Each structure stands twice: as C-alpha cells, then as structure tokens.
Amino acid sequence: CLGSNVRDSACYLAWALARAYSKKVMHNYIKKLAQNLIIVMLFDKEVNCRRAASAAFQEHVGRQGYFPNGIEIITEADYFTLGNRSNCFLNISTFVSLFPDYRQVVLDYLSTNRILHVEENIRILSAEALGLLVPFDEKYFIEKIIPNLLKISFSNNLFYRQGAIMGIGYILVGLRGKWDFEMKSKRIRMKVLEGMNAVESK
C-alpha cells in the first residue's frame, strides 16, 4: 500500500546494510531480510522495485554470504528475468519455492496479499501461481490456505471475493493433479514474451 518510491528506497536501505555492517552484526537478521527481499523481487507491482530488491539481495549474497541458496536464486532471478511480471509470478516463484527457507513466505504472501490486490491481473497471476505451487506442500494448502480463502470468499469486497474464488479454483485443479504442465509451460512462455520488447525477447 506504500508508494513505489518508498519501497524502492527501502530496497536501497537494505542494499546499504550489506556494505555498512559486518557479517557478525547482520547474521541474526539475514534470514528474515532474505525472505522479505524475495517477496519484493517476485511480487512487487513495479519493475523498478523488483530490480532494486534483486540488487539488494545480490549485494548481501556477495558481501555477507549467509543468504540461504543465494547463488542459485540470483542466477535465476536477475535484472532481465525480473522485468516481466508474469515470469516472476509463474516461473521464478516456482523455482524459489523449491527452497524450504522461502516456500512458506511465498505461499502466505500470495494467498493473503496478492490474491486480494486491487489490480485484476495481479489477482489472476496470484491464483495461477498458487495452483502451480500446490505440489510443493499439499497439506499446507488443504489445512490453512483453502480455509482462509473460503472465509475471504464471503467478503463484501468484490476484489477479495474474486481473488479468493479464483485462488480456490486453481488450487483445486492443482490438488487433483490435472495441470497439463506441457501446455502450461507454453502458456507461461507466451505470457512472458508478450511483455517483452523486441530486444528482450531475442
């Protein structure tokens, strides 16, 4: 809900922490900081904020060395791949969720924040992402995420209702194992390419 300039500045502050403090000072805060930067990298509405979070994440990986699975993530989530919102939601998020340190924060943020966003495109992408992430932790979806979305589906807010109902629908498809992953990967690729200019798509 804060302005993009505030979120961008917060990422710069996180970047500066890597340079200002020693590994010993930062050690106790690294996991929480890494998780929050991942959320911004993947799901922020604005491309400049996603890229700023990526720069901060990369700086900590290089200087602090404590970020869980940092090298693997910055290899996959770089300046160019984060430029496309669909790619972040439908592709990079599934890769990041392979790592247990980030999986639950990704699931929680998608199911309690992005799925309720005022922009319909973000709600749709969040629902699709949740469907793709079901195989990572089916029990968590059944016991926590679906009951929470069922409550939200009775909200007076139409944005919340739509997001919750779409989320439940995609999750149920994921639980039934009915995703045609070959077709899904082609669709993701098409959506990613649609958002790129000619140079990026090459």
Side-chain angles (χ1 to χ4, degrees), residues 25 29 48 68 76 99 132 136 140-141 143 154 156:
V25 172
Y29 311 101
N48 62 302
E76 183 76 12
F99 307 114
L132 290 170
F136 290 98
Y140 190 70
F141 275 91
E143 294 180 357
F154 292 97
N156 291 328

Side-chain angles (χ1 to χ4, degrees), residues 108-123:
D108 287 343
Y109 191 73
L110 280 172
S111 62
T112 60
N113 185 295
R114 296 291 89 175
I115 200 79
L116 312 177
H117 198 274
V118 67
E119 277 193 30
E120 184 177 19
N121 186 45
I122 291 179
R123 296 197 300 273

Side-chain angles (χ1 to χ4, degrees), residues 20-124:
Y21 295 99
S22 67
K23 295 180 182 180
K24 185 177 180 180
V25 172
M26 291 297 299
H27 184 68
N28 292 333
Y29 311 101
I30 283 298
K31 185 175 179 180
K32 187 70 175 174
L33 181 59
Q35 290 173 339
N36 281 283
L37 286 173
I38 281 290
I39 292 302
V40 181
M41 282 168 61
L42 295 178
F43 306 122
D44 197 281
K45 175 183 166 184
E46 305 296 338
V47 64
N48 62 302
C49 293
R50 295 197 299 271
R51 287 173 170 169
S54 175
F57 191 95
Q58 186 170 344
E59 190 70 17
H60 278 278
V61 170
R63 289 183 177 271
Q64 303 291 340
Y66 288 128
F67 270 28
N69 306 105
I71 297 295
E72 297 98 316
I73 289 171
I74 62 173
T75 302
E76 183 76 12
D78 60 27
Y79 182 88
F80 295 104
T81 58
L82 292 172
N84 185 282
R85 188 190 293 173
S86 296
N87 191 42
C88 293
F89 275 81
L90 304 178
N91 187 17
I92 302 175
S93 70
T94 58
F95 175 79
V96 171
S97 296
L98 290 169
F99 307 114
D101 287 311
Y102 303 106
R103 184 179 303 141
Q104 189 168 329
V105 293
V106 167
L107 296 178
D108 287 343
Y109 191 73
L110 280 172
S111 62
T112 60
N113 185 295
R114 296 291 89 175
I115 200 79
L116 312 177
H117 198 274
V118 67
E119 277 193 30
E120 184 177 19
N121 186 45
I122 291 179
R123 296 197 300 273
I124 293 170

Side-chain angles (χ1 to χ4, degrees), residues 5-19 37 49 52-53 55-56 59-60:
N5 58 329
V6 176
R7 301 195 304 275
D8 190 47
S9 299
C11 291
Y12 177 73
L13 176 61
W15 176 87
L17 291 175
R19 291 176 166 250
L37 286 173
C49 293
E59 190 70 17
H60 278 278

